[in-house]
Amino acid sequence: MKRKTAETLFHQATRKHDPIDLGALPFAQRLSILLGGNDKAAASIAEYTGGDLRKLTGMELADLEGIPGVGRATAVRLFVFFTLVADLLGAAEEAA
């Protein structure tokens, strides 16, 4: 998915009138949006994980880069994504 397409989907999902449901999109397409339109990496990650990103937790950057189509920048994005999710989950636990 080209960057413009990913941005278009994001705008369609966040518009006030008749937004699309990003959750209804296929896993690889949503992952491509997260990765800035990197379809090759998204497809490889979707295949590697079987649609379960938890399979990537605890992996080092070099391990992530070993997935076909995943370069350093994509590996860093994934790593940062997991740190943000961990922060979000930690905040939810503290609030409970």
Side-chain angles (χ1 to χ4, degrees), residues 16-83:
K16 290 181 181 179
H17 174 70
D18 195 28
I20 64 169
D21 178 11
L22 285 180
L25 295 176
F27 175 79
Q29 193 172 8
R30 288 181 285 145
L31 189 56
S32 182
I33 294 168
L34 176 70
L35 300 177
N38 188 340
D39 285 341
K40 184 177 180 180
S44 290
I45 293 165
E47 182 179 332
Y48 182 86
T49 63
D52 185 358
L53 286 179
R54 291 175 295 186
K55 292 181 179 176
L56 301 179
T57 57
M59 291 179 74
E60 296 184 8
L61 284 178
D63 298 327
L64 292 170
E65 288 178 292
I67 300 171
V70 176
R72 176 60 54 121
T74 300
V76 168
R77 280 189 181 108
L78 287 168
F79 182 80
V80 171
F81 169 76
F82 282 113
T83 63

